[in-house]
Amino acid sequence: MHGKALINEALKGNPVERTPWVPYTGSQIANLKGYTAQEMFRDADKLYECCIEAESQYSPDGMTPMFDLQVEAEILGCDLAWYDNTPPTVCSHPLEGELVIPTRRIQKTDGRIPLILDVMRRFKAAKPDIAMYGLVCGPFTLASHLRGTNIFMDMYDDEDGVKALVAYCEEVVREVADYYIEAGCDIIAAVDPLVSQISPDMFETFLSEPYTKFFASMREKGMPSSFFVCGDATKNIEPMCLTRPDCIAIDENVDIVEAKKLTDAHGITISGNLQLTITMLLGTQQDNQKAAIELMDKMGTHRFILAPGCDVPFDAPAANLIGVGQAVHNPEAVRKALESYVAKDNLPEIEMPDYVNLDYVLVEVVTIDSKTCAACGYMVATANNAAKIYGDKVKVVERSIMFPENLAFVSKVGLTNLPSLLVNGVIKHISLIPTVEKLREEIEEAMK
């Protein structure tokens, strides 16, 4: 059974001969041909070249030609900051001053949509047996790109305005999804990292209706769908299931075994959740093979697709993804090769801040990476917005776990979910972005 058929059967809940594998490679595949992320994301020929090379090396059953959640936002007026080692980041918010509902629609000729459609068509023609994923920015994250961090206060102060903005964003990304379907995509995934940052009540109020509408539209077109959320989405797994996607994709913050009990109960496939940093970025090929084998053993083959928790970091060694592909296709041979392998703890020793004797309040935001993780970026932005009125009395530091010393920090303070925020060494917020007002209250309490 080839990759596309394998994934289709897994999505239907039918028996499959082995676990399907989908590497959400994103900017990482630029390395395969010596390009920067910026070069690849802005050039159709380079992107196509990298996609073909990734398919050849990683032995996937499904792939996405483009993993960039800023495509729609850029067209709708957000400025982007471009980097050589990550996808671009939204750096301006056209609705920041006033929450008004835009009327613009995205056309096939707008922004980088023609580039994406071109690569999709070429990849589909070259690799028809690989399930091609089309990724759209989820409506809540897109609304946040347009409105900025103000949207978290709007959810309390202007419920109708937020509902209208999210509804508009759902309509926009549904139309973009239609373009991807026309280009030959086999699965449409709505990627909405900020869903992990809101409560189930907030999900019900603002997202249940638009997401139910989005996935119903995909079903009407005969198109399988996936609801992809980064961060600790544990509290929202069941509300997500109730919107009726065919698959829910989660990252390492979620206990996937427990989550699968919920997805199974709703007849939904689950995808995930290899560790992005500890394993895929900083681990060895054997670490990645071991993680893949252990995850496949825990999950079985029914309604499960093996994948990273989100898009793979730019600097993750190709050998690590190759190793996962080997574990998927030849699990018994890999098991034998790993029999004597013992993983090493390579985290450095670090000196913790002397919180008691600081002459300023230290706000530490522990992130995956604020440039690549939308939830992380908005938590950092909230911290900076809260701190700016205090001048040098408050210092904000981002601790991205892309760096080993920050992984050691995470271990020392006992964090298990990201993004998280600490004030003078005390954990205050875990996978929930606070309002600026709430964080200022906590900062002023620490000043006493």
Side-chain angles (χ1 to χ4, degrees), residues 129-379:
D129 292 337
I130 300 296
M132 186 167 68
Y133 281 64
L135 270 55
V136 297
C137 182
F140 184 51
T141 293
L142 181 56
S144 303
H145 286 335
L146 297 175
R147 178 66 170 146
T149 57
N150 290 332
I151 198 168
F152 297 102
M153 185 56 69
D154 294 335
M155 295 170 83
Y156 297 97
D157 296 342
D158 189 0
E159 182 176 310
D160 289 343
V162 174
K163 284 182 176 179
L165 181 59
V166 173
Y168 161 78
C169 290
E170 185 277 326
E171 292 170 0
V172 166
V173 299
R174 181 159 26 105
E175 290 167 358
V176 173
D178 288 343
Y179 302 152
Y180 294 168
I181 293 168
E182 291 173 12
C185 280
D186 301 296
I187 299 161
I188 294 294
V191 189
D192 213 330
L194 289 178
V195 167
S196 65
Q197 302 301 302
I198 61 174
S199 69
D201 285 344
M202 289 291 193
F203 186 101
E204 173 62 30
T205 300
F206 297 105
L207 299 184
S208 289
E209 182 177 345
Y211 262 113
T212 299
K213 183 180 294 186
F214 181 85
F215 294 127
S217 174
M218 296 302 105
R219 274 195 307 279
E220 288 169 5
K221 298 175 174 68
M223 180 58 46
S225 61
S226 180
F227 197 160
F228 198 149
V229 177
C230 309
D232 185 9
T234 303
K235 56 190 173 295
N236 285 324
I237 297 296
E238 185 143 35
M240 290 164 64
C241 288
L242 294 174
T243 65
R244 298 188 61 204
D246 294 292
C247 181
I248 285 178
I250 57 173
D251 79 7
E252 63 207 66
N253 286 275
V254 179
D255 182 334
I256 195 167
V257 174
E258 289 301 310
K260 191 172 188 296
K261 295 176 183 177
L262 288 172
T263 56
D264 279 351
H266 289 275
I268 293 171
T269 298
I270 196 164
S271 174
N273 67 343
L274 293 167
Q275 292 181 299
L276 292 176
T277 304
I278 293 174
T279 304
M280 305 203 82
L281 176 63
L282 300 174
T284 65
Q285 185 178 73
Q286 292 97 323
D287 291 332
N288 281 266
Q289 290 176 324
K290 185 172 184 289
I293 292 289
E294 290 175 352
L295 195 48
M296 290 189 290
D297 285 348
K298 285 193 297 185
M299 301 298 290
T301 57
H302 178 252
R303 286 200 178 277
F304 172 61
I305 297 171
L306 179 69
C310 199
D311 54 326
V312 178
F314 180 83
D315 290 319
N320 290 353
L321 287 98
I322 291 169
V324 174
Q326 291 169 345
V328 167
H329 290 277
N330 298 288
E332 295 313 314
V334 169
R335 282 182 206 278
K336 187 169 182 61
L338 292 174
E339 284 177 352
S340 60
Y341 178 70
V342 179
K344 297 178 181 178
D345 182 358
N346 294 319
L347 294 182
E349 287 296 324
I350 62 167
E351 184 175 342
M352 297 291 286
D354 184 4
Y355 296 110
V356 174
N357 294 310
L358 294 175
D359 59 1
Y360 54 85
V361 174
L362 177 58
V363 178
E364 295 166 292
V365 189
V366 187
T367 68
I368 298 169
D369 183 347
S370 63
K371 291 187 295 185
T372 60
C373 162
C376 300
Y378 285 117
M379 189 175 277

